[in-house]
Amino acid sequence: MSKDSLYYRLLRRLLISANVAILLLLPVIYQIFKSYAIEAYDVELSEAAFSLEPYLVSKDGVPDFVLPAEAEQAFRSDSYDEEFYLVLGPHRHAIAGDTDLPVEIKENAWHKQSPYVFYDTEMRGKPVRAVALRHIMDGQVYLLLAAETLNKRQRIQIKIMLGLILPLFMLALVNGLAIWRGIRLSLAPIEDIRAALQGMQHGRLHPLEENAQPTEIRPLVQEFNALLTRMDAAALAQQQFVANAAHQLRTPLAGVRTQLEVVRSQIEETELQSRVNRSIEAIDRLNHLVQQMLSLLTAAPGARDVSTVAVVDVSEVVQQRSSEWVRTAALRNIDLGFELSHALVRGDSLLIGEMIANLVDNAIIYAPDAGRVTVRCRIEGECAIIEVEDNGQGIPVEERERVFQRFYRLPGVARKGSGLGLAIVAEIVQGLHGAVRILKPITHAGCLVRVSLPLDRPLDS
Amino acid sequence: MQVLLVEDDALLADGVSHLLRASAHVVTCAESAEVAAGFLARDDFDLMLLDIGLPGMDGMTFLTRLRAAHNNMLVMVLTARDALNEKVRGLTLGADDYLAKPFAGEELLARIQALCRRRDKPISQKRIHGPLILDQPSHRAWLSGVPLDLPLREWTVLDLLLDNVERVVSKERLVRRLCDWDQALSGNTIEIYISRLRAKLTSSGINIRTVRGIGYMLEAWQ
């Protein structure tokens, strides 16, 4: 998946932020759980200190602490930790117990409600947890201290940690899946629009449904629909322009041509007549050029109404226009033939006809006198193939790309056409999502132009 | 023939009316659809040559209104608009023929003649193509005044070709026309009839051109 995709970005950001939150949660939960566990062990330790109290007695004002062996054994027996005790007299002098237990109690540590003070220290090279219990006897303050190593405290911490990591990991996993699924579902409208747009090739442009879209996407769809409207307006304006330009250019040409014919009919002198004839031919060439340039404007993408697009049988288009080509070919005594099978494409039948007409025009121009021109159409694989072949000089391989440029002429070839025919063909073929290539006929010299257009496929298949 | 020319370009109107008058037509010129409507109300015309891009009401609107008013006079549209956009529309809106500007004078005259022939066909029932005359009711034919022997099938083929002078007629269309009597008929059989017709007609300069892959075209009489 691309790093630029919205889906990827959302997934990445949400996964990171959600899992960072879970990671931050881990120490907090751990601290809370740990404090509860430590508190429970502290209570236990304070009870141990309290259990020493009965053994501290006063004999005639002299304090005495005697711990029976069984009691001491009970005190010191613990599954995980070493237990220590210490009894201090009013002047902090040791009365009994492990005298090397450090006493680190600040005077202000004592709390009014509680006779206990807890502290951490180190004993015999090991960290220990200790508790001091204030005991008042004969008006004197005695301290009963109990301490233990940290084994079970550390053990419970590891247990808490392990116990937290697994569920939090599961949480992260479930969270991730929920995010992934949520994004997929939320972005589904975008996918729907993409699918709708993909189906709109071949000039099948139509507005998208606006109301069913989420509010974030609706403006995009509205903009797209507005763009379609603007494109339609632009196409209409273009058509209007072509129509007006055609009228403004051709009417004076027609006037001049007709007047020249009147002049020709009224003069006897052959030299003057030939001058008039050459002028009429120049008018015809100029008119052809106007037609070609208008065709280019018309063939440009978006210049024609979408409504002119339909399923077109290429062989029918060729048959319909064959008469005019046969007449032109007859003028040069060229044998114009056809090999036609049905081939359905989607497009504008007038533009397809114009494209083939330009190919046939060229073939008739460049075929030798009494030459041979053949127009073919058929289906080959997924394509409709249209071929126009002549037996003229052909086009050298290195020129085959350039001849599609506007006004390009082959070097060394007498000026005959307008230089726009193949440019029009290329433009129309591009509009139909097809391809055009210039080849050499297999059996003889000449030029073979092959156009392949995508076959029309019903949308549901 | 009475021709009403509706064209706003003075140079073209002048040239066309000259050419038409030289061919013995009577021409009235109108520079707009409104003026033409006035002429139509006063006089009878056989044919109207109508420009599309007129000032005021355009030619298409004028033609639509004319047809809506059940006026079925012959109308040939002169269009300077791009053929890609106007061709089909003009014909569907009720013009009998159209001619793209600029045009050759001979072409205009030939089209006018063809239009009138098409219209007059039910009255005269005689088809004339250069030296060839076909009389439909009596089923008799003459070539340069000499009676011509044309069996029914050859007659039918020629008849269809004469309906489509300068237009390619496909073999399938010829077969369909002949199948009215003959059930099993192939393209090869058509070739036989065509070659028989050629043997009879070519010497008089009537040419049936073979269009490789489609069919045949009867060339215009020069």
Side-chain angles (χ1 to χ4, degrees):
Chain A
M1 190 182 308
S2 157
K3 287 195 170 188
D4 293 330
S5 103
L6 199 57
Y7 176 75
Y8 176 84
R9 285 192 213 176
L10 275 174
L11 193 62
R12 200 182 56 161
R13 296 213 176 139
L14 284 175
L15 279 182
I16 287 175
S17 55
N19 289 328
V20 163
I22 289 172
L23 272 177
L24 289 177
L25 207 55
L26 181 64
V28 176
I29 298 175
Y30 171 73
Q31 281 302 334
I32 293 170
F33 279 25
K34 193 181 97 175
S35 70
Y36 290 155
I38 298 292
E39 203 179 301
Y41 285 126
D42 280 354
V43 168
E44 209 179 291
L45 190 63
S46 65
E47 276 166 4
F50 184 69
S51 73
L52 297 171
E53 217 176 44
Y55 303 107
L56 182 63
V57 292
S58 172
K59 279 186 182 162
D60 310 326
V62 179
D64 188 19
F65 184 87
V66 182
L67 192 61
E70 315 85 76
E72 182 163 356
Q73 201 180 353
F75 180 89
R76 289 193 190 274
S77 70
D78 189 282
S79 324
Y80 300 102
D81 289 299
E82 288 179 57
E83 305 284 326
F84 309 101
Y85 75 93
L86 178 62
V87 181
L88 293 179
H91 305 292
R92 295 275 169 104
H93 62 276
I95 294 171
D98 306 296
T99 51
D100 53 346
L101 179 69
V103 181
E104 294 166 11
I105 306 164
K106 296 187 186 90
E107 267 317 305
N108 60 1
W110 296 104
H111 200 271
K112 277 178 190 160
Q113 265 92 47
S114 168
Y116 298 103
V117 165
F118 292 93
Y119 64 94
D120 294 300
T121 185
E122 203 170 281
M123 188 177 168
R124 296 174 198 166
K126 286 179 192 160
V128 294
R129 179 75 170 162
V131 65
L133 168 62
R134 262 159 77 103
H135 183 68
I136 314 285
M137 194 170 69
D138 301 337
Q140 303 275 25
V141 176
Y142 293 82
L143 288 182
L144 298 166
L145 292 105
E148 61 185 2
T149 51
L150 300 181
N151 290 344
K152 59 175 170 285
R153 283 178 165 75
Q154 280 162 356
R155 201 167 162 274
I156 195 81
Q157 282 174 30
I158 291 167
K159 274 189 161 176
I160 290 171
M161 186 57 94
L162 288 177
L164 279 178
I165 284 175
L166 188 66
L168 285 180
F169 178 74
M170 300 278 286
L171 179 63
L173 204 69
V174 170
N175 204 12
L177 282 172
I179 287 171
W180 175 72
R181 201 174 143 67
I183 293 173
R184 274 201 93 91
L185 287 177
S186 308
L187 291 184
I190 294 182
E191 181 55 29
D192 292 347
I193 289 173
R194 193 197 62 78
L197 288 176
Q198 196 179 32
M200 278 193 208
Q201 287 167 355
H202 303 288
R204 280 178 259 201
L205 291 172
H206 50 80
L208 294 168
E209 172 59 43
E210 284 180 19
N211 294 329
Q213 304 296 346
T215 42
E216 289 82 358
I217 292 172
R218 199 175 303 151
L220 292 179
V221 172
Q222 281 165 345
E223 277 304 315
F224 175 80
N225 288 346
L227 178 69
L228 278 192
T229 316
R230 286 199 294 275
M231 276 166 65
D232 278 353
L236 198 67
Q238 174 93 321
Q239 278 179 3
Q240 218 97 55
F241 171 78
V242 170
N244 289 337
H247 187 256
Q248 294 303 326
L249 290 164
R250 286 202 186 112
T251 301
L253 283 180
V256 173
R257 197 191 195 286
T258 316
Q259 292 289 340
L260 285 171
E261 280 188 87
V262 173
V263 170
R264 186 177 57 185
S265 69
Q266 288 173 357
I267 52 178
E268 304 288 324
E269 215 180 318
T270 38
E271 196 211 318
L272 277 181
Q273 274 193 345
S274 94
R275 279 172 198 273
V276 170
N277 278 338
R278 289 211 306 276
S279 304
I280 289 175
E281 282 163 21
I283 295 280
D284 287 345
R285 279 203 304 275
L286 189 51
N287 177 52
H288 188 239
L289 184 62
V290 166
Q291 165 62 29
Q292 299 277 65
M293 293 179 82
L294 294 174
S295 292
L296 263 185
L297 284 178
T298 311
R304 281 176 74 76
D305 247 330
V306 179
S307 60
T308 54
V309 171
V311 177
V312 175
D313 185 343
V314 177
S315 68
E316 248 167 53
V317 172
V318 172
Q319 286 217 18
Q320 274 164 16
R321 296 200 60 166
S322 59
S323 301
E324 60 184 272
W325 303 335
V326 169
R327 287 199 288 270
T328 320
L331 294 177
R332 293 202 53 224
N333 203 13
I334 282 168
D335 171 21
L336 175 60
F338 300 86
E339 294 166 21
L340 308 173
S341 351
H342 296 287
L344 298 183
V345 299
R346 182 170 275 272
D348 181 328
S349 64
L350 287 176
L351 279 183
I352 293 171
E354 194 68 8
M355 173 192 75
I356 304 171
N358 273 290
L359 292 176
V360 174
D361 270 357
N362 271 356
I364 291 174
I365 287 173
Y366 293 109
D369 282 333
R372 212 174 144 89
V373 171
T374 306
V375 182
R376 301 187 187 96
C377 69
R378 61 176 181 275
I379 291 173
E380 224 176 79
E382 296 290 297
C383 287
I385 302 288
I386 302 161
E387 285 179 349
V388 178
E389 179 187 292
D390 65 54
N391 61 342
Q393 290 186 342
I395 299 175
V397 177
E398 62 273 16
E399 300 285 346
R400 285 180 186 170
E401 289 294 316
R402 260 178 286 175
V403 289
F404 288 104
Q405 291 168 12
R406 294 177 185 184
F407 294 113
Y408 183 79
R409 293 174 177 289
L410 282 176
V413 172
R415 178 192 171 85
K416 281 177 182 168
S418 68
L420 284 175
L422 284 176
I424 294 167
V425 170
E427 195 89 40
I428 295 175
V429 167
Q430 196 191 357
L432 294 165
H433 307 279
V436 56
R437 278 210 302 161
I438 293 178
L439 307 161
K440 196 191 89 63
I442 303 164
T443 50
H444 52 85
C447 176
L448 168 64
V449 184
R450 176 177 294 161
V451 174
S452 60
L453 303 177
L455 280 180
D456 175 64
R457 297 237 171 272
L459 277 175
D460 52 344
S461 76
Chain B
M1 197 154 73
Q2 293 275 350
V3 179
L4 176 59
L5 172 63
V6 192
E7 167 64 62
D8 66 307
D9 187 81
L11 190 69
L12 181 60
D14 175 70
V16 169
S17 42
H18 250 93
L19 288 174
L20 291 177
R21 282 184 192 125
S23 302
H25 294 290
V26 181
V27 184
T28 310
C29 288
E31 67 276 6
S32 73
E34 289 79 2
V35 174
F39 283 130
L40 282 176
R42 280 195 301 275
D43 290 311
D44 278 334
F45 294 92
D46 301 308
L47 168 74
M48 176 159 63
L49 295 177
L50 178 62
D51 180 30
I52 296 297
L54 290 169
M57 188 195 295
D58 74 73
M60 278 304 171
T61 318
F62 182 49
L63 180 56
T64 315
R65 291 197 185 173
L66 204 67
R67 293 303 191 216
H70 303 292
N71 184 330
N72 59 349
M73 75 185 297
L74 285 173
V75 175
M76 187 189 296
V77 163
L78 302 178
T79 173
R81 299 256 175 103
D82 186 36
L84 285 179
N85 290 320
E86 297 292 336
K87 216 181 240 180
V88 175
R89 218 178 113 202
L91 289 173
T92 50
L93 281 182
D96 296 284
D97 201 358
Y98 72 92
L99 200 52
K101 293 182 193 173
F103 43 81
E106 310 98 69
E107 174 87 9
L108 176 66
L109 293 170
R111 294 282 193 95
I112 290 174
Q113 241 177 353
L115 267 186
C116 295
R117 253 207 320 270
R118 229 191 288 171
R119 164 140 306 189
D120 297 342
K121 194 175 143 187
I123 304 160
S124 94
Q125 309 238 326
K126 247 185 199 164
R127 333 200 58 169
I128 302 170
H129 184 79
L132 177 72
I133 299 170
L134 260 67
D135 185 48
Q136 306 244 336
S138 67
H139 248 279
R140 282 191 300 168
W142 293 270
L143 189 64
S144 310
V146 181
L148 181 69
D149 175 38
L150 275 185
L152 188 58
R153 292 194 188 111
E154 284 169 43
W155 173 286
T156 309
V157 170
L158 187 56
D159 191 45
L160 187 57
L161 290 175
L162 278 168
D163 277 339
N164 295 282
V165 176
E166 286 284 286
R167 287 204 293 262
V168 178
V169 179
S170 69
K171 271 189 190 172
E172 292 84 56
R173 214 173 137 197
L174 287 165
V175 168
R176 270 202 302 278
R177 178 66 70 92
L178 287 177
C179 272
D180 292 349
W181 315 287
D182 243 326
Q183 286 310 311
L185 197 75
S186 72
N188 296 339
T189 331
I190 297 292
E191 277 169 34
I192 294 167
Y193 297 137
I194 292 285
S195 69
R196 283 189 197 152
L197 279 172
R198 275 185 183 141
K200 289 172 185 171
L201 300 172
T202 313
S203 56
S204 326
I206 293 172
N207 223 343
I208 301 172
R209 176 173 284 274
T210 302
V211 180
R212 196 156 40 88
I214 300 183
Y216 304 93
M217 186 180 92
L218 181 62
E219 289 185 357
W221 177 254
Q222 302 293 327

